[in-house]
Amino acid sequence: NYRTLKKDMSTDAANVTLTAGLFSRQLSGIPIHKWSSIKTEEGQGISKMYDTMRKVMTTEVFVAHRNDLLEVVKSIMTWKNIHHMPVVNKSNKMIGVITKKIIEQAELNNESGDLLIVNDVMGKVKVKVDPETTLDQAKKIMKENKVECIPIVENEELIGIFTKHDLENIVEKKKQND
């Protein structure tokens, strides 16, 4: 069933469809050896996979602290191909953001060659949203505020991040499943 579903849909959509099909068959009471094959149409709830930030945010977030050396942060961002890195305090509350553009500008302005720390150059957090923010709301917020990254916070604590790249991936997955 899984291999057949994967021919017509993404891995995520195939997993959701397979789970939905197995669950409905389990509820039917029919013995497993009599179950029919799972059809693509059984995954009609796929759009629900992408409805809130809680379901689409990246939760494995690399963060910087105000006293970190900018050169170290730059290396991590390059190594992990990260374009935005939240800056948090000891309580994991967001206090700023570092971007590749901020780093490039800081290096250009650092004529003396001094060691810079994150606190010297970090940008302000323009917007942040809670995990129940919808995908459509997040897209609108990103466009209106001209940002490529939205931190997701719960009780003022950073729990995830949503980027322009994440949005592009979701749009592509939705197209594959339509």
Side-chain angles (χ1 to χ4, degrees):
N1 280 283
Y2 180 70
R3 284 189 295 269
T4 303
L5 292 170
K6 282 278 294 158
K7 290 177 187 174
D8 297 324
M9 57 182 60
S10 70
T11 301
D12 291 340
N15 286 333
V16 170
T17 302
L18 185 64
T19 302
L22 291 173
F23 182 68
S24 68
R25 283 162 180 72
Q26 182 182 11
L27 293 176
S28 74
I30 299 171
I32 194 168
H33 68 280
K34 293 184 179 181
W35 287 1
S36 61
S37 293
I38 296 172
K39 306 286 186 252
T40 305
E41 308 81 57
E42 294 182 61
Q44 294 303 316
I46 288 171
S47 63
K48 287 279 191 194
M49 285 175 35
Y50 308 113
D51 62 350
T52 64
M53 290 296 98
R54 186 177 303 283
K55 296 177 184 175
V56 298
M57 67 183 176
T58 300
T59 55
E60 191 175 304
V61 180
F62 288 86
V63 297
H65 297 276
R66 71 174 59 232
N67 292 321
D68 289 345
L69 287 173
L70 193 60
E71 192 62 34
V72 172
V73 171
K74 177 184 175 185
S75 295
I76 292 169
M77 291 174 75
T78 301
W79 175 49
K80 292 304 226 172
N81 195 25
I82 298 170
H83 299 257
H84 310 86
M85 188 179 283
V87 181
V88 297
N89 63 17
K90 291 179 183 178
S91 302
N92 204 35
K93 291 188 171 54
M94 236 181 119
I95 58 172
V97 66
I98 291 288
T99 66
K100 284 191 172 188
K101 289 178 186 174
I102 288 173
I103 292 173
E104 289 168 5
Q105 191 63 43
E107 289 175 337
L108 284 174
N109 294 337
N110 188 16
E111 296 170 4
S112 62
D114 293 335
L115 285 177
L116 296 173
I117 61 171
V118 168
N119 197 59
D120 295 335
V121 298
M122 70 180 173
K124 292 183 179 181
V125 181
K126 289 185 179 181
V127 292
K128 47 189 171 185
V129 298
D130 68 72
E132 297 310 316
T133 302
T134 67
L135 182 62
D136 290 336
Q137 289 170 326
K139 191 179 350 179
K140 183 179 176 185
I141 290 167
M142 291 171 83
K143 185 177 180 179
E144 287 174 354
N145 292 281
K146 297 177 182 153
V147 294
E148 296 183 355
C149 160
I150 300 177
I152 315 299
V153 296
E154 192 167 49
N155 300 322
E156 291 300 314
E157 188 173 319
L158 179 69
I159 61 167
I161 197 165
F162 185 74
T163 66
K164 180 182 172 187
H165 181 71
D166 295 329
L167 180 60
E168 290 166 354
N169 286 340
I170 290 168
V171 168
E172 182 61 33
K173 285 178 184 177
K174 281 185 161 187
K175 281 181 187 175
Q176 290 175 1
N177 294 317
D178 287 341

